[in-house]
Amino acid sequence: MCFTPLISITTAIIEFGIVIYLLKRIKDKRLRIIPLFVLLLGLYQLTEFFLCTSDNYLWPRLGFIVYTLLPVLGMQLFYDLSNKKLNKIFYSIPLFYILVALLHPNFIILGTCSSFFITVRNLIFNQNKILMWIYLAHYFTYPLYGLYILIK
């Protein structure tokens, strides 16, 4: 469930402003991932805006790629705050899904914009239940495991 063009572009502009502020203010190397995380949130909002203002399915594809990176970046933040090194193997699951999104010609099945929300259907969530469950497991367990590492 996503928002209309006006809300999306406004949110993106605010998030890009926050990125600039964070880049100027953050000095602690352990927090270096936060501006990237917020930048990706803004880029996601931008993809929503362009989905609603164009007929190009490139935008929902890019949106999927952007939000696929969020869990591993959240996990990276928790590891950084714990002064621990995240094994790069954790990036393999999001990378796999990004490659599927980039390489499969019919990855986006449907992308529509309504009065309040946009709807996007893709290959992962609408045609392949195994890939969907792996994706969802990664999406929710990565940040939770990172939080566990932080508080442990």
Side-chain angles (χ1 to χ4, degrees), residues 32 72 76 80 85-94 142:
R32 71 186 186 281
V72 74
Q76 181 72 60
D80 290 349
K85 186 167 175 65
L86 177 64
N87 188 328
K88 298 304 178 200
I89 194 79
F90 284 106
Y91 282 86
S92 63
I93 292 177
Y142 272 30

Side-chain angles (χ1 to χ4, degrees), residues 14-138:
I14 291 168
E15 288 169 338
F16 294 148
I18 291 170
V19 169
I20 293 167
Y21 174 80
L22 290 172
L23 287 171
K24 291 180 179 182
R25 301 287 296 178
I26 291 178
K27 304 297 182 217
D28 187 343
K29 286 187 177 189
R30 296 177 305 157
L31 303 175
R32 71 186 186 281
I33 204 87
I34 294 174
L36 177 58
F37 193 90
V38 178
L39 176 66
L40 289 177
L41 293 174
L43 288 174
Y44 177 72
Q45 292 299 325
L46 204 57
T47 65
E48 288 186 352
F49 172 78
F50 284 120
L51 170 64
C52 289
T53 58
S54 76
D55 290 330
N56 193 332
Y57 275 8
L58 167 72
W59 299 111
R61 185 182 302 255
L62 291 176
F64 177 85
I65 290 167
V66 166
Y67 68 70
T68 295
L69 288 168
L70 295 176
V72 74
L73 292 179
M75 188 178 190
Q76 181 72 60
L77 173 63
F78 290 132
Y79 267 76
D80 290 349
L81 290 171
S82 303
N83 293 313
K84 295 183 179 169
K85 186 167 175 65
L86 177 64
N87 188 328
K88 298 304 178 200
I89 194 79
F90 284 106
Y91 282 86
S92 63
I93 292 177
L95 181 60
F96 168 78
Y97 284 98
I98 288 169
L99 288 173
V100 170
L102 287 173
L103 300 176
H104 195 285
N106 298 316
F107 180 75
I108 299 297
I109 298 166
L110 172 73
T112 60
C113 189
S114 66
S115 298
F116 294 104
F117 300 106
I118 68 167
T119 302
V120 175
R121 290 189 171 74
N122 65 50
L123 178 74
I124 304 295
F125 289 107
N126 295 95
Q127 291 187 351
N128 194 316
K129 297 300 180 195
I130 293 171
L131 288 179
M132 179 191 76
W133 286 111
I134 294 169
Y135 184 89
L136 290 173
H138 128 269

